[in-house]
Amino acid sequence: MPPAPDQASKTSPVLRVATLAARLLPMRVKRLFYRSPRLAHLIRQELNRAAPQGFSVVEIAAGELAGLRMSLDLHAEKDYWLGTYEPELLGTLADLVRPGWVAYDLGANIGYISLLLARLAGQDGRVYSFEALPANLERLRLNLRLNALEERVTVISGAVGDSAQPVQFLVGPSGGTGKARGSAGRQELAYSQAISVPGIVLDDFAFTAGNPPPGLVKIDIEGGEVLALPGM
């Protein structure tokens, strides 16, 4: 069962102020806070004191996903909630994606970009979200359910690469740092374990399995691009 919507952002004065500031302040002003390490640390500290522990269902306060709902850890994922996550990337996607498009999200994580692609592509569009880590897949599916997007976003479990054989997937210290063995990135990290996940070749996915080819492919797979691109 999905968690009940969390009321913390409505009852906590600190979180209410943060929500209002996120909605009203332009991005250039919000970025000024990050330029002062001491101020940024103070803001994070106060938000952490006010935020509940664990995952909470919250409404995204600002940015391209404003109004959608996600299950987030407000101690670690404030940028998703406040709409400050990679604004250039989100703005570029908003400029590119058109209603009715098919988009592939490689390395969907918990679904922030997939939700945006679904919003941009609209009712007639289709999003295919590729993710390998089981914990991320669980939260990805929950975040789609919270926004009634299961019919427009298809979740694909596995690692995109150049082989359809099972892939050894290295589990990193966070949900955003796992990668397929043989990837080029994140060589400095310590990986706690390796799990076996399905291998996915996008040419096979589109042209052999008969899925619609994409108008846009977003790739963020920790250096696994060196494996995914030959399969495209």
Side-chain angles (χ1 to χ4, degrees), residues 105-193:
D105 184 359
L106 277 57
N109 199 272
I110 65 169
Y112 198 83
I113 298 299
S114 292
L115 291 174
L116 175 61
L117 292 172
R119 169 175 274 188
L120 296 172
Q123 292 286 344
D124 296 327
R126 190 78 177 183
V127 178
Y128 292 87
S129 300
F130 299 82
E131 175 58 40
L133 286 174
N136 287 347
L137 286 163
E138 182 178 355
R139 292 181 65 198
L140 169 59
R141 292 187 175 105
L142 171 57
N143 288 326
L144 295 176
R145 289 199 303 272
L146 289 170
N147 296 282
L149 288 171
E150 304 100 312
E151 297 299 317
R152 289 158 51 189
V153 181
T154 300
V155 176
I156 311 296
S157 173
V160 176
D162 57 358
S163 171
Q165 297 298 313
V167 172
Q168 288 294 299
F169 199 85
L170 305 178
V171 179
S174 72
T177 56
K179 67 172 189 174
R181 192 180 298 277
S183 298
R186 301 280 191 169
Q187 303 293 338
E188 75 284 1
L189 293 182
Y191 294 92
S192 60
Q193 61 176 314

Side-chain angles (χ1 to χ4, degrees), residues 63-115:
E64 299 291 345
L65 265 68
L68 297 185
R69 299 166 70 220
M70 294 187 73
S71 174
L72 298 175
D73 177 353
L74 294 183
H75 287 254
E77 297 169 331
K78 299 178 187 66
D79 50 350
Y80 288 162
W81 165 48
L82 297 173
T84 55
Y85 174 77
E86 298 202 17
E88 290 86 1
L89 170 62
L90 272 61
T92 298
L93 291 174
D95 290 339
L96 288 174
V97 179
R98 296 291 177 262
W101 272 28
V102 173
Y104 289 4
D105 184 359
L106 277 57
N109 199 272
I110 65 169
Y112 198 83
I113 298 299
S114 292
L115 291 174

